[in-house]
Amino acid sequence: MTEARTSADGGMETSYGFRQVTDGEKQGLVNDVFHKVAKRYDIMNDVMSAGMHRVWKDAMVAALNPRKDAGYKTLDVAGGTGDIAFRIVEASDRKAHVTVLDINGSMLAVGAERAAKRKLSENLDFVEANAESLPFEANSFDAYTIAFGIRNVPHIDLALKEAYRVLKRGGRLLVLEFSEVEMPLLERFYDEWSFKAIPRFGKMITGEAEPYQYLVESIRKFPNQENFAAMIRNAGFSRVTYTNYTGGIAALHSGWKL
């Protein structure tokens, strides 16, 4: 049911789920997926994770432990709808500033609307740009976060190098991503849920199954925990670790620019 994962040497740049595409083709296909699901993104994540993404995101921000300081600046990448950014601002007692960056304008529009409703707009910037080429000066941010977005970036190695570049010395990278399940019984159940149930629920919710099919396939192509940790080290990060959540369904990766 699953296909071989890519390794630390690359491969995601030509992988649109289980389908091989040319280098340069993937970004447009992924953009189309997120234009389709932007307004139902939270529901999509609830379906993909059976609601657990909320718990994992809370754990991610708890691990970050943002300073309660108006000078604390975080870059949240592929976070258009604001899920992580809102949590960071609230955890800092509404003092931190978060720049939300996404390549997809539809996702950013949803996030900006949600921020206004929460009266958080003053703490947030929304920037449409590519994670592989960030429009910021070096040494600009105290933290870089990305939740369930790195696997959709075609050239992950470039995105990680850009993360390293824009972080201040002593800054931290946190990446939350679906990963390789470490328990055989859970893995079998998860495969059944992913490949049979999720696309069906997706079609019921949005009228389309294809975006969900891509998303579950992209999870299985993404490098496993050890290989992705190696990619983070290759980008220059130190003290690289990861923590598995829910038997490895998701993992939180951490690295420091020292």
Side-chain angles (χ1 to χ4, degrees):
M1 188 177 294
T2 62
E3 292 198 2
R5 291 181 179 273
T6 56
S7 71
D9 296 325
M12 290 297 284
E13 64 275 6
T14 56
S15 170
Y16 178 72
F18 291 165
R19 176 178 148 199
Q20 285 296 112
V21 296
T22 60
D23 194 356
E25 185 180 1
K26 178 177 178 176
Q27 189 64 71
L29 294 169
V30 172
N31 285 351
D32 188 53
V33 166
F34 285 95
H35 283 307
K36 290 176 180 176
V37 304
K39 292 185 178 180
R40 296 178 180 268
Y41 184 66
D42 286 339
I43 296 173
M44 179 192 78
N45 277 336
D46 281 327
V47 170
M48 297 275 291
S49 69
M52 288 301 295
H53 75 102
R54 301 174 188 272
V55 176
W56 300 332
K57 288 173 179 175
D58 287 342
M60 179 187 196
V61 174
L64 178 63
N65 191 23
R67 293 199 313 267
K68 296 174 175 62
D69 176 356
Y72 185 80
K73 296 182 178 180
T74 299
L75 176 63
D76 184 48
V77 175
T81 61
D83 252 15
I84 297 298
F86 301 157
R87 284 171 166 83
I88 292 172
V89 171
E90 295 290 5
S92 73
D93 290 344
R94 298 200 170 199
K95 292 180 180 176
H97 188 277
V98 182
T99 298
V100 181
L101 182 139
D102 205 297
I103 200 169
N104 191 289
S106 298
M107 298 285 281
L108 289 166
V110 172
E113 182 179 350
R114 293 177 68 199
K117 288 179 180 177
R118 289 166 170 75
K119 302 188 186 308
L120 293 175
S121 298
E122 290 186 3
N123 297 83
L124 300 164
D125 289 326
F126 290 86
V127 176
E128 186 172 349
N130 192 325
E132 297 174 7
S133 181
L134 298 174
F136 309 112
E137 293 183 1
N139 308 306
S140 296
F141 296 95
D142 297 286
Y144 176 117
T145 57
I146 179 167
F148 305 117
I150 195 73
R151 76 181 189 280
N152 298 311
V153 176
H155 298 92
I156 293 172
D157 57 337
L158 296 182
L160 291 172
K161 288 175 182 175
E162 279 290 88
Y164 187 87
R165 181 183 67 81
V166 301
L167 278 171
K168 298 176 183 177
R169 195 63 64 175
R172 190 179 188 187
L173 168 76
L174 281 177
V175 182
L176 179 63
E177 189 53 87
F178 290 110
S179 200
E180 185 172 64
V181 178
E182 59 185 359
M183 301 164 60
L185 288 176
L186 178 60
E187 183 178 21
R188 285 198 289 273
F189 170 78
Y190 185 52
D191 274 351
E192 288 293 310
W193 170 255
S194 296
F195 288 99
K196 293 183 179 179
I198 288 177
R200 291 177 186 172
F201 278 116
K203 188 169 185 178
M204 289 169 57
I205 294 166
T206 68
E208 295 189 68
E210 193 275 334
Y212 291 80
Q213 188 68 36
Y214 157 70
L215 290 166
V216 297
E217 290 178 2
S218 68
I219 291 169
R220 299 319 194 281
K221 294 297 290 185
F222 187 71
N224 67 17
Q225 290 90 324
E226 289 293 338
N227 278 320
F228 185 56
M231 294 182 76
I232 296 173
R233 291 188 194 95
N234 290 342
F237 288 95
S238 303
R239 292 168 53 190
V240 176
T241 60
Y242 64 84
T243 302
N244 282 331
Y245 294 151
T246 317
I249 291 177
L252 178 66
H253 288 261
S254 172
W256 296 83
K257 180 177 177 177
L258 301 178

